[in-house]
Amino acid sequence: MEGEKFFMKKLSECTILIVDDTEENLDILVEALSDDYGISVSMDGETALESLRMEIPDIILLDIMMPGMDGYEVCRQIKANKDTEDIPIIFLTAITEIESKAKGFELGAVDYITKPFEILEIKARVRTHLSLKVAKHELSEKNKVLEEKTVALQAAFNELEAFSYTVSHDLKSPLRAVEAYTKIILEEENEKSHSNTNEMVQNVKNICGSMIEMIENLLKYSKMTNLEICKEPVDMSESFKVTLRQYKAICQDQLIEFEFETGIPVVLADPILIKQVISNIISNSIKFTKNEDKALIVIGCKRGINEYIFYVKDNGVGIDMEFSGKLFGIFQRLHSQEEFEGNGIGLATVRKIVQKHGGRAWIEGKVNEGTTIYFTLPTNFD
């Protein structure tokens, strides 16, 4: 299947752990199976359990009657360990009582091989259970691939649905406004009345500009899906500082204070795309603090498990956390265009870029108490 990356294990690559306290039995089993599989042996239960801590076999042939820890106890401990519980166990025994076999099955054994051994029976039973395990593993891996593709398809469908809504509504509405203004201009031209013409033409220009910006941002966002990223060391502190200087120059009419709360590390990332992430987040914070007497934007980073957690806090209008999940969706807004300008693509682009780097993005805040936007990037440089 195209795109599958899981390991398709062959029977000849399988390994067997044989546990028996009798050398003669070990010799028979090794001779019968070593030409077809990798073999390791243990002569008691304690050694067998120690062996499992170093290497996990594909199947275990386990003698029941052994001095010290018997096969039942070994089986019980194997099945109690989440790392080894799925290993098929075939008991080796001369016991023929039904109760003894029932006990083994209750503990999790898949089969029995009785002594004295029949070589053909040994090979047949081992091959059958290894084939079942390999088939089960392959099915499990294919299911994982299918689940991943299903999630990806659902995400693509959701974005296509958002795009369709935009085309049918958000882009159509300004076009209708342009059409209406044009009609009025033509009617006034015919009546030789030009008192409001300049204002209406300016409105037409503004509407068209907004529509063009929306389309351009939509196209940029759509390209993120298949964009290849080029990673290199990026000094995130310097990237933030450059962006802050740019916005200070642009927003001279707004009193803004930027503050670094912690040190900011170097990461392995695409410098151009990460610059876009930082710019979009800072722009978002500036936009939603424009009504404050003094905007405060605080930047920091925390160390997580195998990831850096960056954050940008502001003292702006905040959000209702009930609707926080919407903010990273394409064309999702919590405020009207009249309250705060924007097209609802900025944070969606942030999440898309961060996810392509193997990270996450989310938002926290309270109404009238500000907002914090978080995003993560891996700590490794592999």
Side-chain angles (χ1 to χ4, degrees):
M1 184 184 297
E2 185 178 349
E4 290 180 354
K5 297 181 180 180
F6 57 84
F7 178 61
M8 305 285 282
K9 195 166 192 175
K10 300 176 183 178
L11 284 179
S12 59
E13 296 168 335
C14 290
T15 57
I16 302 171
L17 171 60
I18 304 173
V19 187
D20 197 302
D21 64 322
T22 304
E23 287 189 6
E24 181 180 353
N25 291 337
L26 290 175
D27 290 342
I28 293 171
L29 294 168
V30 169
E31 183 176 357
L33 300 168
S34 59
D35 287 341
D36 300 317
Y37 313 104
I39 304 293
S40 60
V41 300
S42 296
M43 297 192 71
D44 57 71
E46 290 84 358
T47 305
L49 293 175
E50 185 64 29
S51 173
L52 290 175
R53 296 187 186 99
M54 295 182 289
E55 183 178 7
I56 303 295
D58 294 292
I59 195 168
I60 299 173
L61 306 187
L62 178 60
D63 188 23
I64 291 180
M65 303 305 294
M66 294 185 294
M69 185 184 298
D70 64 20
Y72 293 133
E73 178 58 19
V74 175
C75 181
R76 188 192 65 76
Q77 292 196 30
I78 290 172
K79 295 303 178 181
N81 186 334
K82 64 181 179 62
D83 294 328
T84 57
E85 62 182 352
D86 293 328
I87 304 174
I89 296 176
I90 298 177
F91 274 133
L92 308 173
T93 181
I95 300 173
T96 57
E97 290 87 351
I98 294 176
E99 292 80 10
S100 298
K101 291 184 178 180
K103 181 178 178 181
F105 286 126
E106 288 173 1
L107 289 171
V110 297
D111 207 348
Y112 276 86
I113 296 176
T114 56
K115 303 174 184 178
F117 298 130
E118 291 290 337
I119 301 302
L120 292 178
E121 179 188 15
I122 294 169
K123 289 187 174 183
R125 290 183 184 273
V126 169
R127 184 176 183 84
T128 295
H129 290 291
L130 282 175
S131 297
L132 287 172
K133 181 179 180 180
V134 170
K136 181 180 178 181
H137 173 74
E138 291 178 1
L139 181 59
S140 175
E141 293 300 316
K142 288 180 179 179
N143 283 338
K144 289 179 184 178
V145 172
L146 184 59
E147 288 172 4
E148 292 172 358
K149 289 183 177 180
T150 300
V151 171
L153 286 172
Q154 184 61 51
F157 174 80
N158 291 340
E159 291 186 4
L160 180 60
E161 189 174 48
F163 178 83
S164 299
Y165 176 82
T166 300
V167 171
S168 64
H169 185 271
D170 292 67
L171 298 184
K172 192 180 294 182
S173 295
L175 283 173
R176 285 175 175 165
V178 171
E179 182 183 35
Y181 276 122
T182 304
K183 182 178 180 181
I184 294 172
I185 292 172
L186 290 174
E187 289 174 351
E188 289 202 354
E189 177 66 22
N190 290 335
E191 296 172 5
K192 304 299 181 183
S193 174
H194 306 288
S195 58
N196 296 319
T197 299
N198 288 339
E199 181 181 352
M200 287 189 292
V201 170
Q202 185 60 46
N203 285 335
V204 170
K205 181 177 180 294
N206 292 341
I207 291 171
C208 289
S210 297
M211 185 171 62
I212 291 170
E213 181 183 8
M214 184 183 295
I215 293 171
E216 288 178 345
N217 284 317
L218 177 62
L219 291 174
K220 288 179 183 177
Y221 178 81
S222 65
K223 289 178 181 178
M224 291 292 173
T225 302
N226 297 315
L227 188 65
E228 292 292 329
I229 62 175
C230 300
K231 292 184 178 181
E232 60 184 71
V234 176
D235 186 337
M236 293 293 284
S237 177
E238 184 62 24
S239 296
F240 271 109
K241 289 175 182 177
V242 169
T243 302
L244 298 181
R245 286 196 294 267
Q246 292 173 345
Y247 276 103
K248 272 191 173 181
I250 294 171
C251 307
Q252 295 184 9
D253 295 336
Q254 187 176 347
L255 181 58
I256 308 172
E257 180 179 337
F258 295 109
E259 179 182 309
F260 283 90
E261 197 167 58
T262 69
I264 308 296
V266 173
V267 300
L268 192 66
D270 188 305
I272 296 175
L273 294 181
I274 290 301
K275 180 180 179 182
Q276 184 69 54
V277 167
I278 293 173
S279 179
N280 286 10
I281 293 176
I282 297 298
S283 173
N284 189 82
S285 295
I286 290 174
K287 176 169 63 177
F288 289 106
T289 55
K290 71 176 186 179
N291 296 328
E292 302 299 320
D293 294 335
K294 178 182 178 181
L296 175 62
I297 298 173
V298 179
I299 299 159
C301 180
K302 299 181 290 186
R303 181 69 181 259
I305 300 175
N306 299 323
E307 65 182 6
Y308 291 115
I309 305 172
F310 297 91
Y311 58 88
V312 178
K313 298 189 290 188
D314 65 59
N315 63 336
V317 296
I319 61 167
D320 185 338
M321 286 299 290
E322 180 181 354
F323 305 106
S324 62
K326 295 177 57 179
L327 291 175
F328 287 95
I330 189 169
F331 294 110
Q332 297 294 323
R333 298 171 51 88
L334 297 186
H335 304 87
S336 68
Q337 185 72 27
E338 289 72 24
E339 291 178 290
F340 298 98
E341 73 283 356
N343 47 46
I345 300 178
L347 291 185
T349 301
V350 166
R351 172 168 284 182
K352 179 71 72 175
I353 293 174
V354 169
Q355 286 177 340
K356 290 187 77 67
H357 282 77
R360 303 169 290 127
W362 69 97
I363 190 167
E364 295 177 359
K366 291 183 179 180
V367 176
N368 298 322
E369 294 187 22
T371 301
T372 304
I373 297 175
Y374 297 88
F375 69 94
T376 70
L377 293 172
T379 57
N380 61 47
F381 274 67
D382 295 336

